[in-house]
Amino acid sequence: MMPAEAASSGGVSEPPGAPRERRRRRGRARARTEALLHTLKRSRRVKANDRERNRMHHLNAALDELRSVLPTFPDDTKLTKIETLRFAYNYIWALSETLRLAEQCLPPPPAFRGPPAPPSPGSDAGSWLSSGSPAAPSLCASASGPSSPATSEDCGYVPSDALRAFRGLPPAAPGAPCR
DNA sequence: TAGGCCATCTGGTCCT
DNA sequence: AGGACCAGATGGCCTA
């Protein structure tokens, strides 16, 4: 590594000042191992950063997938992460509530009436949202506790056929009789 | 310019 | 030991 140095320091018997030279060598060796340790730590950190970045990308991809199945206005700005999660929560709540009502075979209130076709990812889903509210879906998802999702007026819609499809049932015929 | 959102880095903790 | 997960810090970008 340091040829010039090695050549100059070679002696047969201990010349005066040898202990000092030994100390210097030890110091250099320690510095080398510290540097090695530093680069090792550094490379581990870099790898960990890489994995973390990847992990977050996967998380974001999953979030994008979730966004894509949520009904949103086409010209709406992209839902933020927190909005996406809250909206998904309320969306699921609304779907299950609709299901519950459907199982009771009660005619849903007018505010719950949805369009005839189920939403498809990326489709114009604005009409699936609440009665002409100009607000973005995010507003539906605001500050509601776990036991009290957004009210049906906030977010309600009834994708009745979608729900039937969910359960593996054919779309309800218009005016189908109640079981 | 302040505030919100986001990506990235980082160190700690837990798990395999 | 190494990877996954998490939360805090930081800096950049955008909008009101």
Side-chain angles (χ1 to χ4, degrees):
Chain A
M1 235 198 239
M2 301 172 180
E5 202 179 288
S8 67
S9 65
V12 185
S13 61
E14 284 229 327
R20 203 191 313 169
E21 178 61 22
R22 269 202 299 273
R23 269 202 302 276
R24 205 179 298 163
R25 279 185 194 171
R26 263 203 296 274
R28 278 199 292 268
R30 185 182 302 167
R32 253 204 310 278
T33 53
E34 274 176 11
L36 220 60
L37 215 62
H38 182 260
T39 52
L40 184 64
K41 275 185 181 177
R42 187 66 222 161
S43 79
R44 278 185 191 154
R45 232 313 105 201
V46 167
K47 268 207 265 182
N49 289 347
D50 209 44
R51 281 195 305 273
E52 178 66 7
R53 215 178 305 125
N54 236 345
R55 197 180 69 84
M56 294 311 292
H57 286 168
H58 280 119
L59 188 61
N60 287 337
L63 217 46
D64 277 338
E65 261 181 78
L66 181 58
R67 271 190 201 102
S68 73
V69 298
L70 289 176
T72 53
F73 296 103
D75 55 345
D76 232 6
T77 53
K78 183 179 166 188
L79 292 175
T80 66
K81 292 181 176 183
I82 186 71
E83 283 171 346
T84 302
L85 291 176
R86 285 189 173 141
F87 186 35
Y89 176 91
N90 286 323
Y91 186 50
I92 291 168
W93 179 86
L95 288 178
S96 48
E97 193 65 8
T98 304
L99 204 54
R100 194 179 60 78
L101 289 175
E103 276 172 354
Q104 289 178 359
C105 210
L106 293 175
F112 265 92
R113 290 259 155 70
S120 58
S123 71
D124 176 2
S127 55
W128 287 82
L129 291 168
S130 61
S131 45
S133 163
S138 58
L139 293 182
C140 297
S142 60
S144 14
S147 57
S148 60
T151 64
S152 52
E153 282 75 23
D154 283 341
C155 255
Y157 62 89
V158 174
S160 49
D161 288 349
L163 286 172
R164 293 180 73 80
F166 245 106
R167 307 179 67 205
L169 300 171
C178 196
R179 273 182 282 139

